Amino acid sequence: MFRPLLPVLLALVLLPAAASAADGFWQTPTIHAAGKMHALPQAAYQPDRNATYKVVFGLTKASDKPGEVSPALDRVARTVNLYVSAGVPLDHLKFVAIAYGPATPIALNDEQYRKKYGVANPNLPVIAELRKAGVDVAVCGQAVAEHDFQYDWVDSHVTLALSALTTISELQQKGYALLPL
């Protein structure tokens, strides 16, 4: 008696989710390859459109699967998208993202990433878009060595930094807020 109703009930439950995806509920205003966000113009703590924001992101999370974008890098993209959506111009965002620890492989060029994981580096399109938006994506030189990677394996769109330790402390000395991811 209830079996014919099951598909109808499932459709009714899933309809709002499908409609919200189709009607622009999730948006990627600047970084399209990652960082989906939902605009909330009436929410509290909106960014000041006239302020300049200095943030250093400490990227330590790798993806669970080599073919997926690092969740830490996705959060950087989301942060850019949130600020832009709130009306902050890109040139008011002074963002540096430095990968180290388990996130170090996101910085590998496609050839080396394929050799290690058997798939294309899914982080490179996100890194390219972040770069285009003015975000400096860097990797800890010490972590590169600790992972037994060669320095010339680092993608050309990634800045090779002395270390995450010195990068983060130097930028904090210059007024950057630290967001560990």
Side-chain angles (χ1 to χ4, degrees):
M1 178 171 174
F2 290 105
R3 285 195 176 198
L5 290 177
L6 186 58
V8 173
L9 290 174
L10 279 174
L12 289 174
V13 169
L14 297 175
L15 187 61
S20 66
D23 70 3
F25 182 85
W26 293 109
Q27 301 170 18
T28 55
T30 301
I31 310 301
H32 306 293
K36 69 181 180 179
M37 49 73 58
H38 174 65
L40 293 166
Q42 304 306 319
Y45 303 110
Q46 294 288 328
D48 178 347
R49 295 172 183 206
N50 299 310
T52 297
Y53 295 90
K54 296 163 66 174
V55 180
V56 56
F57 299 88
L59 310 182
T60 59
K61 290 206 183 239
S63 175
D64 291 335
K65 298 177 184 171
E68 295 177 355
V69 171
S70 156
L73 196 61
D74 182 68
R75 291 284 191 194
V76 175
R78 176 177 280 180
T79 304
V80 171
N81 285 334
L82 284 164
Y83 276 96
V84 169
S85 175
V88 177
L90 279 176
D91 64 353
H92 288 214
L93 302 179
K94 309 301 179 198
F95 288 176
V96 176
I98 183 153
Y100 60 103
T104 303
I106 71 172
L108 289 174
N109 64 36
D110 203 48
E111 176 187 356
Q112 295 304 322
Y113 197 91
R114 280 180 191 276
K115 283 181 183 177
K116 181 159 182 65
Y117 298 107
V119 296
N121 186 342
N123 301 288
L124 295 181
V126 180
I127 291 169
E129 285 191 52
L130 287 167
R131 280 288 199 193
K132 187 175 178 184
V135 177
D136 183 16
V137 179
V139 66
C140 171
Q142 307 308 303
V144 170
E146 288 171 349
H147 280 80
D148 295 320
F149 299 155
Q150 300 297 312
Y151 292 114
D152 62 352
W153 295 358
V154 173
D155 189 77
S156 63
H157 295 98
V158 177
T159 301
L160 178 63
L162 172 62
S163 73
L165 297 168
T166 57
T167 300
I168 290 169
S169 61
E170 280 296 308
L171 291 174
Q172 285 188 299
Q173 289 287 329
K174 295 175 181 178
Y176 281 68
L178 171 62
L179 281 178
L181 301 174

